[in-house]
Amino acid sequence: MSDPKTDDFRLEQKDGQIVVTFTPTGAQYVFAPKGSDPKGSGGVEPRHEEPAQGASSGYDEDAVRQMAKKLAEKAAGPAPDLG
């Protein structure tokens, strides 16, 4: 089985939620940021999962799910200080 890489994912923000799409299969994972901290704490809660479309992709589903959560947590975290 192949390990997912960060380049295999697309992230979008939609209706205050983070949508992570695993591009090789089209599987989508939707997360909501935890808490009301405007700077973001980086925590997320899973909201919805749309399974892969079509046949098995050769990727471990658990590894894909874990990577999707990790990327959503980074996206929900505080923005870097650029100044």
Side-chain angles (χ1 to χ4, degrees):
M1 294 225 153
S2 299
D3 290 327
K5 298 173 181 44
T6 55
D7 290 346
D8 293 330
F9 294 85
R10 183 180 72 239
L11 280 79
E12 302 172 80
Q13 191 163 15
K14 191 179 206 179
D15 300 327
Q17 300 186 91
I18 301 163
V19 179
V20 183
T21 304
F22 184 57
T23 56
T25 64
Q28 288 191 333
Y29 305 88
V30 180
F31 300 90
K34 285 185 182 176
S36 58
D37 178 9
K39 292 186 179 182
S41 64
V44 294
E45 297 177 356
R47 293 294 179 173
H48 178 74
E49 183 175 322
E50 188 71 34
Q53 302 166 0
S56 173
S57 64
Y59 290 90
D60 178 29
E61 281 187 50
D62 288 334
V64 171
R65 192 177 293 110
Q66 289 173 1
M67 178 69 81
K69 183 176 181 190
K70 179 180 173 183
L71 293 171
E73 287 171 341
K74 285 187 177 199
D81 183 12
L82 301 176

